[in-house]
Each structure stands twice: as structure tokens, then as C-alpha cells.
Amino acid sequence: MIPENALTVSRDNQRSRWIRLRTMILLRWVAILGQSAAVLVAVQFYNLRLELDLIIFAIGISVAGNLVAMFVFPKNERLSEKQNMAMILFDLLQLLLLLFFTGGLNNPFAVLVIAPVAISATSLPVRYTFSLGIIAIFAVTLLANYNYPLLTEQGFILRVPNIFIFGNWTAIVISMLFLSFYSRKVTVEVNDMSDALFATQMALSREQKLTDLGGVVAAAAHELGTPLATIKLASSELMDELKDKKELWEDAVLIRDQADRCRDILQSMGQAGKDDQHMRNAPVSEVIREAAEPHSDRGKEIIFELNLKSKEDISQPLIKRRPEIIHGLRNMIQNAIDFANNKVWIVLSWSETDIKITINDDGPGFPLQMISRIGDPFVSYRKASSPRLKQIDYQGMGLGLFIAKTLLERTNAKLSFSNGGAKEIENSKNVTQIGAIVEIVWLRSDIEAQNNFLGENENLQVF
């Protein structure tokens, strides 16, 4: 599992620090050029009589702010939450001031007020976006009634009817609220998925390292076998020759004993498989047992079962020991153990075309309203059923099932989640819990090893 604190660096309250000051400065220069171009066109092509002194003052404030930011702060500066909020608020107020000098809501560029609020929704916490939204709505309301009018060359006031002023105000406010909510929702979804995929990659990397370590240990045990045997042989010969010299004879005995100890340690570490093929392929039941092993001593009974339609073909599939499969099954089993009351059933079945693993617990099951969302990151699905988990106020991040589902789907597994009768074979005992059921199905061609490197075993034992 991935600890929660491993992901805090990328959670919402830290994302504003991803934005560079250089980026904000560049965007502000673009805004300054756009504002200047709009004023130039209005004066030169449409002969509008604008308050140029005040307009230049408003644009100059933005220029001055950019120059200060460029020369005071380092080029690689990344903004904190408050700094980012201050930058966006500065741009919003500068835009509102410019609109105040150029007709208020009679100016078609008034819709640009939406931009700073929508941008804040993608990069700042909700409280900052809410504050900016309130300021923007209040300011737009004032601009609808108070502003410097737009004048033609002849001195006529360019003013739209009051009903259009109200329409513009309504459109700006509604668009601001909708775009902010929309941007926030999409950004949170993307960020959560990014965090969850990062956690998945960490889990897969960990499992891959463990698998690689097992292969390295097995290889080391094999390669070091010959020099250790040589050391033991040489020390035995020295013992025979040094029987009359007690101190030297004891040193030779120590060398032999330490060589034996090295051999035993390497054999113990490499007992998962001395042949590299054992690290790559294994019977499907052994892969399931390996995935369940870390949870075997957690106080819940794990029952392994084999469910075959026909007993004639007992030849068990040999599958690839892929880290995705082991870690995915391990997380699924952990989820069942966490919420089971007493028992977890793991049922294996296969046919000529597919392999199916069913994991069923006798806990409270999945909430019906959440079944369709199982596998979404950062969503917790069930309340803890065991007293131990209740005592420690169990708070799942919703990453366990997401990681498991993502890893298993990478191996082309098809997963389904449902609630059942806490194992139908137990219903005669008046089982009241509905229990959760997870079914994982692969096509044999997707995960089955191409060749039986382990050789034939007619007396193969499953579970």
C-alpha cells in the first residue's frame, strides 16, 4: 500500500506552488499588449474619445507590476498560494479599473472579468476562488451603474439599453459561476487521477523491485555456491593438517562454519526459486497464495477453494508472475480482509479459455449507491466492520481498489463488483451480512505462460 503522506506533495493545497512567476509575468505581458491594441484600434479606427490619461495610468500599473516582479524575484520563483492569489487579484482589479474608464458593461470586453476567476478555480483552493468571485460580482454590479462613458468623435454617448446592461451583467455572473465550477470539477478530477496513477506506479515499482530482488538473490546463491564449496573444502583439509596446532585448527573450523553459514543464508534467501524460471512463472494457485500471504495473520480466516465444472482436467494453468497481478490481487485481498467480520473466501476456477478468481468476504458489502463508482481514486466505499478498525477510526483514501483495479486491468483482466450472500454455501447458518464479491477474469492467452518450464507434475496440489 502507498502511505497517505507519500502523496501530500501533490495534493490540492500544494498545486499552486507548481506555477512559476515567469509564467504569470508572460501572461500579463500578453494582456498588456491586448489592452493596448484594443485602445489603439478604438482611437485610430473608430475615433472614440477615451480618457487616455486614465487608461494609460491603468495599463501602466500592470506594466509596473510586471517590472517589479521581474527584477525583485528570481526567474525560477514558484508562487505560493497567497502569492498566486495576490497576482490574480491584482490582474482582476487592474482589468476592472480599465473597464471603469472605458464604459463599464457598455464595453464588450467586460466579459474578460470571467478569466481571472476561472483561472483561480484551476489552481487555487476553493476559499480563494470564492473570494475572487465575490469581488468580481460586486465590482461588475458597480460597473453596471458607475463608469466613464464611451464618447464618439462628435461627443455622443455610446450606451446600450438598460435591458442589455442587465443581460450582460447576468451573462457575466452566470458564466463566471458555471466556468469556475466546471474548471474546478475537471481540474480536481484530473489531479486526483494523476495522483492515483502516481501511487499506482509507485506500487508497481515496489513490486517489480521485490521480484527483481528475488531473482538477484537466487542468482547470487547459485553463483556463490562454487566458491563457498571451495572454501569449505580447503578449510577441511587445513583442519586435517592442523590437528596438532589447536589455535590454528580452531581458526580453520571457524572458516568452515562461516562458509556453511553463508551457504545456509543464501539458500534461505533464495528459497523462493533457485531457477530464474520460478521467478517468472508459477501455478495460478501459488500466485494467489503469494498475494494473500502478508494478510494470513491478521485474525481473519482465509479460505481457498477450487471450483471446477469438470474434475477430468485438473491440469492447473501456469501463469506469468507479473508484479501487476501479484500486487493487484494483494490489494483486493487486503480490502476484503479489512472489512470482513471473520472469513474471506478466495475461489479459483478455470476452463479451456479463461481463468477466474472470486474474492468474497462476510462483511457489510459495498454500498449500493457506490458500486458504479468502485475504482475511482480517493473515494472510500465501505465503513470498517471490525472493532479494531473502528477503534483506530479507519480512513481509507480509496486508492487501494483503484491501484488494484488499474494494475489488474493492465493485464487485460475484467473486473466486476457486487454484493452476495456472504458465500452462498454459508447461508444455512443464518448469515446476516450481505458480503462483497469481486470477480477477476482473464483470458488464458493473456496471462498463461507459453511453455511449462517447470515440467509436468501429475500430482499437482492446488490450495
Side-chain angles (χ1 to χ4, degrees):
M1 294 295 293
I2 302 300
E4 183 173 357
N5 58 8
L7 299 176
T8 55
V9 68
S10 57
R11 300 303 297 145
D12 180 69
N13 62 347
Q14 297 291 326
R15 293 191 186 279
S16 64
R17 301 196 69 89
W18 293 4
I19 301 175
R20 294 181 303 172
L21 177 61
R22 184 187 305 175
T23 301
M24 299 299 290
I25 291 174
L26 177 61
L27 293 176
R28 187 177 289 169
W29 281 127
V30 173
I32 291 170
L33 291 176
Q35 293 169 1
S36 302
V39 172
L40 182 63
V41 170
V43 173
Q44 295 296 325
F45 291 90
Y46 294 99
N47 300 317
L48 296 183
R49 293 169 54 182
L50 301 177
E51 301 290 341
L52 290 179
D53 293 342
L54 297 177
I55 292 174
I56 292 173
F57 169 73
I59 296 177
I61 291 175
S62 188
V63 173
N66 248 12
L67 293 176
V68 170
M70 289 175 61
F71 291 105
V72 172
F73 297 97
K75 292 183 178 180
N76 60 348
E77 177 77 11
R78 293 192 180 272
L79 301 176
S80 65
E81 285 181 1
K82 293 182 179 179
Q83 290 172 333
N84 204 350
M85 168 68 174
M87 292 285 287
I88 296 177
L89 179 60
F90 177 87
D91 291 335
L92 175 62
L93 294 177
Q94 187 269 343
L95 177 60
L96 291 169
L97 182 63
L98 190 59
L99 289 173
F100 176 71
F101 294 145
T102 55
L105 295 191
N106 294 287
N107 188 334
F109 288 103
V111 295
L112 291 175
V113 174
I114 299 171
V117 182
I119 291 173
S120 71
T122 65
S123 59
L124 294 177
V126 175
R127 64 182 184 277
Y128 290 134
T129 302
F130 181 78
S131 300
L132 285 171
I134 294 297
I135 294 172
I137 293 173
F138 178 75
V140 168
T141 304
L142 291 179
L143 288 176
N145 300 285
Y146 305 100
N147 54 72
Y148 280 76
L150 291 172
L151 300 177
T152 64
E153 187 178 12
Q154 294 77 22
F156 295 108
I157 297 177
L158 289 176
R159 181 179 179 84
V160 299
N162 288 336
I163 189 170
F164 283 99
I165 292 291
F166 177 75
N168 288 342
W169 180 88
T170 304
I172 290 173
V173 171
I174 292 177
S175 299
M176 188 183 304
L177 295 175
F178 172 76
L179 288 177
S180 297
F181 175 80
Y182 182 86
S183 301
R184 182 73 185 178
K185 192 70 175 176
V186 171
T187 301
V188 169
E189 189 82 11
V190 171
N191 290 341
D192 283 350
M193 185 60 67
S194 175
D195 289 337
L197 290 174
F198 172 70
T200 303
Q201 192 62 39
M202 288 178 63
L204 181 58
S205 176
R206 176 181 176 275
E207 195 66 35
Q208 184 65 58
K209 288 179 180 178
L210 290 175
T211 300
D212 293 343
L213 181 61
V216 170
V217 171
H222 175 73
E223 295 296 331
L224 292 175
T226 299
L228 286 175
T230 303
I231 294 173
K232 183 178 179 180
L233 178 60
S235 61
S236 298
E237 293 178 352
L238 287 173
M239 288 171 58
D240 293 336
E241 297 179 2
L242 298 173
K243 289 181 180 180
D244 298 333
K245 300 179 181 180
K246 185 177 180 180
E247 292 183 359
L248 296 178
W249 180 83
E250 290 177 352
D251 290 340
V253 171
L254 180 61
I255 293 173
R256 184 197 63 182
D257 293 342
Q258 292 303 309
D260 289 338
R261 185 183 177 191
C262 290
R263 179 201 60 196
D264 295 339
I265 291 173
L266 287 172
Q267 287 179 347
S268 176
M269 294 175 66
Q271 65 183 358
K274 298 177 182 178
D275 186 350
D276 286 349
Q277 299 300 339
H278 286 67
M279 301 302 299
R280 300 172 188 163
N281 308 315
V284 61
S285 62
E286 292 304 315
V287 173
I288 297 174
R289 282 191 177 278
E290 181 180 352
E293 185 178 1
H295 309 297
S296 59
D297 58 351
R298 293 184 55 192
K300 308 292 177 65
E301 182 182 2
I302 302 178
I303 303 172
F304 298 95
E305 295 183 2
L306 180 63
N307 182 19
L308 292 179
K309 295 181 180 179
S310 173
K311 298 296 184 179
E312 295 179 358
D313 183 15
I314 197 64
S315 178
Q316 184 177 178
L318 189 71
I319 67 171
K320 304 170 185 175
R321 287 189 68 261
R322 296 178 60 176
E324 296 96 326
I325 296 177
I326 296 174
H327 196 87
L329 289 175
R330 184 169 296 161
N331 275 15
M332 287 294 182
I333 295 170
Q334 175 176 333
N335 183 74
I337 291 289
D338 285 343
F339 297 100
N341 289 327
N342 299 298
K343 297 180 180 180
V344 171
W345 293 268
I346 303 177
V347 182
L348 168 65
S349 62
W350 66 81
S351 66
E352 294 182 357
T353 58
D354 57 48
I355 299 172
K356 181 169 76 171
I357 299 172
T358 303
I359 302 172
N360 180 205
D361 63 71
D362 62 350
F366 298 115
L368 295 179
Q369 70 274 15
M370 297 297 293
I371 287 183
S372 60
R373 296 188 61 193
I374 292 177
D376 289 352
F378 302 105
V379 176
S380 297
Y381 305 98
R382 295 194 275 176
K383 295 182 179 180
S385 60
S386 69
R388 182 179 65 84
L389 289 177
K390 289 179 180 179
Q391 290 173 2
I392 63 174
D393 189 20
Y394 183 84
Q395 294 290 335
M397 293 178 66
L399 278 178
L401 280 177
F402 171 81
I403 291 174
K405 185 172 182 288
T406 302
L407 292 177
L408 291 172
E409 286 178 345
R410 287 181 60 172
T411 66
N412 295 327
K414 304 296 182 183
L415 285 82
S416 61
F417 303 88
S418 61
N419 291 322
K423 193 68 175 143
E424 295 296 332
I425 61 173
E426 297 278 325
N427 59 13
S428 60
K429 299 180 181 179
N430 298 321
V431 177
T432 58
Q433 302 292 346
I434 59 175
I437 298 177
V438 180
E439 289 189 351
I440 310 163
V441 181
W442 292 273
L443 292 176
R444 290 182 64 153
S445 58
D446 288 331
I447 63 170
E448 192 170 15
Q450 297 300 316
N451 297 294
N452 191 349
F453 294 105
L454 300 180
E456 297 294 333
N457 188 348
E458 297 180 355
N459 298 319
L460 182 63
Q461 298 294 322
V462 292
F463 293 138

